[in-house]
Amino acid sequence: MTVSFGHRRPMLSPSILNADFACLGSIVQDLERAGADALHLDVMDGRFVPNISFGIPIVSAVKRSTRLPLDVHLMIVEPERYLDAFAEAGATALTVHVEATVHLHRTVSAIKELGLLAGVALNPATPLAAIEEILPFVDLVLVMTVNPGFGGQTLIPAMLAKIARLRRTIDEARLPCLLSVDGGVKLSNLEAVVRAGADIVVTGSALFEDDASPGERLREFRQRLAAIGEHASPH
């Protein structure tokens, strides 16, 4: 099975963490119509992060509601125990935290053997050196720009330099992996995130913070990206 996130850069991957789950199907379809490139699903276990979100049944329900790729972000300890279940639920990509699995290469290999894209995420305090050896084997690197666990946080400005360093590393090594950014991304800092080198921009609370529909808010992000222009991304 061949899977991908498409070729548009940068891509918008809305997080549904703050969505009204009573209307989840219609929200997902609204985001798809508004131009989402993928959907970002934050799975939290209350152990790796101080919050519990949702699990396999929600991933399966979202899969039934959309044709978009699903990037399932596993903020859980021992994610390797649940790879098969999330693959069966409809994940396109499984992103695990370098801090949460002991045998990272084995876990990444297992994800790929399932025919899925394999991603690795780093918390803000985790240095890029932690993924130096695994970088050639992954399809996606997710840089957390907030401490994971809750939506609605403010992007940590120092993470922009970290994104830019990772962008240079990927480009200099000519690696095919995508660089994703998650945490506190709003219209006000979207350009800074894109110029730092993001391939995939994850945004969540900014889409659900007022009475406008998530689709309307996502269209504003798409318009802002168009205004930034293709020259904004140096890679």
Side-chain angles (χ1 to χ4, degrees), residues 60-221:
S60 181
V62 172
K63 179 64 177 180
R64 293 194 300 270
S65 301
T66 183
R67 294 169 296 177
L68 292 172
L70 304 185
D71 179 14
V72 180
H73 179 191
L74 298 178
M75 288 179 270
I76 63 177
V77 296
E78 298 180 346
E80 59 274 8
R81 297 172 58 194
Y82 305 98
L83 302 181
D84 288 356
F86 280 108
E88 186 175 346
T92 306
L94 290 176
T95 297
V96 300
H97 272 260
V98 64
E99 307 91 354
T101 182
V102 175
H103 303 290
L104 184 58
H105 182 272
R106 181 182 296 163
T107 301
V108 166
S109 297
I111 294 171
K112 289 175 145 322
E113 287 169 6
L114 290 169
L116 306 184
L117 300 176
V120 173
L122 301 94
N123 285 339
T126 302
L128 294 178
I131 59 167
E132 181 179 354
E133 304 301 333
I134 199 65
L135 201 53
F137 301 96
V138 300
D139 303 294
L140 168 70
V141 179
L142 176 62
V143 176
M144 294 299 302
T145 45
V146 299
N147 289 295
F150 298 94
Q153 299 184 67
T154 300
L155 182 145
I156 301 170
M159 293 301 101
L160 294 172
K162 184 178 186 180
I163 297 166
R165 292 198 306 274
L166 179 56
R167 178 78 268 159
R168 288 194 296 272
T169 298
I170 291 172
D171 290 348
E172 288 171 3
R174 297 184 178 180
L175 297 173
C177 62
L178 298 169
L179 198 169
S180 183
V181 176
D182 180 14
V185 180
K186 302 179 180 297
L187 285 171
S188 59
N189 57 32
L190 178 62
E191 181 169 358
V193 169
V194 171
R195 289 189 182 279
D199 292 308
I200 302 173
V201 177
V202 178
T203 184
S205 60
L207 304 179
F208 299 96
E209 59 188 4
D210 55 31
D211 293 333
S213 76
E216 288 179 59
R217 288 287 171 255
L218 188 66
R219 287 185 184 91
E220 293 178 0
F221 274 78

